[in-house]
Amino acid sequence: MTTVTAGPAPAPAPPGRRPAGPSRLRRSWDRHWYAWAMVLPVVLVLAVLIFYPLVRGIWLSLTDLTEANQLAEVCTRSITGGEICKENPNRWEFVGLDNYARVLTGGVGEFWQWTGVTLIWTSVCVIFHYGLGLGLATMLNRPMRLRGLYRVLLVLPWAVPAFVSAFAWKFIFNERFGLANSLLTAVGIDPVDWFANRWTSLSTAIVTNIWLGVPFMMVALLGGMQTIPGELYEAAEIDGASPWQRFVNITLPGLRPVSMTVLLLGTIWTFNMFPIIFLVTEGQPAGQTDILVTGAYRAAFEGIRNYSLASTYGVLILSILLVFSIFYRRALRKQGEVW
Amino acid sequence: MSRSARTGRSPLRSVGLHATLIVASLIAVGPILWVLLSSFKPGYAVQSSELTLVKDPTLANYAYVLGETSFLRWFGNSVLVAAFTMLVGVFLSATTGYAVSRFNFPGRRPLMMVFLVTQMFPVTILIVPIYMIMARLGLINTPTSLIIANLTIAVPFCAWMLKGYFDSIPTALDEAAAIDGCGPYGIFWRVVLPLARPALAVTGFYAFLTAWGEVAYASAFIQEDRNFTLAYGLQQFVPQFNPQWEYLTSAAVLVTIPAGLVFLYAQRHLVSGLTGGGTKG
């Protein structure tokens, strides 16, 4: 793919293009009708399930809709059993960019705090995922005994559903009887009340996410390493290159295409990683470890459901990710990467 | 030493390598093992700060989870939701993956772009509109609503993955079949699809696992105990007050075994599909 990302391209309705004349349309139709027929089901699903909700979400973010004011009419039952319906005086209405102003100026929620936590969370997790994944892949990429066994054991965290891992680590970091504190006590360190402090609490979530994310990077990079021709290494060895020089000059450049893809995917996935924060820290203490997605979720679905605010957060999060990926790809193109 | 002769590595380096890998493996397996061990302990041993690996082993936790709670119901709900997500997702996206891989038609690039961009959608942007649509259709609190919500993730993902796999099937086969008089659909059904069966299985399994572990929609859409999926139901074991970790651990083991087996089968093929889709635009 070499086109520039220009925002969420709407689901392309295949016959919607209008070429110059009817004959050209006709020819184009004859040539491509089966391709269009093949993609039609997915285009329809994307239009109904993603594009339409997305447009609605953007629209909702410009209103003040909540669970409390969504009804068009308020009905009261009188003693005689009849029902009197009046127009809801507090009905939701269009408010323009008010939600965005309130969110971005900190009038409601903790947008900037969540953004800060999200940035720390994403960068620490991705750096460790990639670093550890690369290290382990390098070690597994050489002939040795028990290689298959190590590989299976190291991949196991990926096999556990994320919500189960979240519970497992929450259990391990339990302040009273968790394994982490038992081990600390065993070596003579006072037990830590992990979820009472902002940074220890965030660390537990980060440890959990690193644990479950490394196998993906490891397997992906190992796959990439195995496509690098062995002759390159042999030639380098004959030229007297040290293992480190071989790693820097052959392995790393050879891994570039894979690295770029998995780093982009990893960043996006971690940025949007909902279950870990939601289940491990639950935002403790007092919402200070919420990232953008969990904070927005709580704002929307806890207490009176605030649909418009949740949509506002959704639009903001998606914008951040889109801007990030545009810059990411532009940076790649500058270095001559065709991707 | 035969090993050092084979690999040209000094014994010291060999020891270092294996030691590192053993430590890493222990960290990878440790938490899983700890939960497994804890699931066989009685409640008082799980809730004690004493460090023991095995204490009064018992199957009581499993008996309680399977017999006295709605666990099996939740399990059934999860299977239902995940299976339908998988079937519908793969069924819908197979032809699309093929068309995007083989034909250069107007709209191909934007479509690829959409698949990529939808991977970025945070759950928060679609959850509210989809919730409101479901509420209007009267589908809140049903497995159907979860299947539909999961399809927003599964369909673009499956199409993306399948495109990567179809790319790896040589086009020479298509051309040969076309010369023999096969139409585009005939080629797809009779030539490519049979070859792509492992790819379909792997993609399907991954869609299954994503739905199996989905938390946000399940927490927001389902309100009644009997309709919970596992991802949400398990939270019921560990409320803020009086959490019952001994039951959670055994439930966690029961949830992980099927998902883990499916996963270990699928993972070998997974990454090549993911990265292949991205690099061979």
Side-chain angles (χ1 to χ4, degrees), chain A residues 1 38 42 150 211 272 305, chain B residues 18 27 95-96 106 120 131 281:
Chain A
M1 288 191 300
M38 280 179 168
V42 165
Y150 288 135
W211 181 80
N272 283 333
R305 301 185 163 189
Chain B
H18 281 276
I27 293 173
T95 52
T96 303
M120 290 179 209
Y131 180 89

Side-chain angles (χ1 to χ4, degrees), chain A residues 157-233:
Chain A
W158 195 8
V160 182
F163 70 96
V164 174
S165 311
F167 284 123
W169 282 92
K170 194 172 171 60
F171 176 56
I172 286 170
F173 282 114
N174 189 292
E175 54 166 299
R176 283 193 299 119
F177 49 82
L179 179 63
N181 276 346
S182 302
L183 291 176
L184 285 184
T185 320
V187 294
I189 302 173
D190 283 340
V192 179
D193 186 356
W194 296 97
F195 299 108
N197 174 289
R198 184 178 175 188
W199 298 111
T200 52
S201 182
L202 188 59
S203 315
T204 62
I206 289 178
V207 166
T208 308
N209 197 44
I210 291 172
W211 181 80
L212 66 89
V214 164
F216 167 75
M217 288 287 185
M218 185 189 81
V219 173
L221 294 172
L222 193 57
M225 282 176 190
Q226 280 160 0
T227 63
I228 301 173
E231 299 91 65
L232 290 177
Y233 290 102

Side-chain angles (χ1 to χ4, degrees), chain B residues 161-184:
Chain B
M161 290 269 296
L162 286 173
K163 183 228 173 244
Y165 287 119
F166 288 136
D167 280 347
S168 68
I169 296 174
T171 50
L173 290 173
D174 301 38
E175 286 152 18
I179 292 169
D180 290 346
C182 236

Side-chain angles (χ1 to χ4, degrees), chain A residues 1 9 36 38 42 49 53 65 142-144 150 158-159 164 169 176-177 211 220 272 297 305 307 321 325 329 339, chain B residues 9 18 21 27-28 31 46-49 92 95-96 106 113-114 120 122 129 131-132 148 219-220 245 263 271 278 281:
Chain A
M1 288 191 300
W36 284 333
M38 280 179 168
V42 165
L49 286 186
L65 182 74
R142 20 181 135 175
M144 65 169 139
Y150 288 135
W158 195 8
V164 174
W169 282 92
R176 283 193 299 119
F177 49 82
W211 181 80
N272 283 333
Y297 182 88
R305 301 185 163 189
Y307 302 132
L321 284 172
S325 43
R329 298 184 61 160
W339 187 70
Chain B
R9 194 170 19 220
H18 281 276
L21 284 172
I27 293 173
V46 169
Q47 317 255 359
S48 113
S49 58
L92 284 177
T95 52
T96 303
M113 220 53 247
V114 170
M120 290 179 209
Y131 180 89
M132 299 181 76
I148 294 176
S219 309
W245 285 100
F263 175 83
V271 174

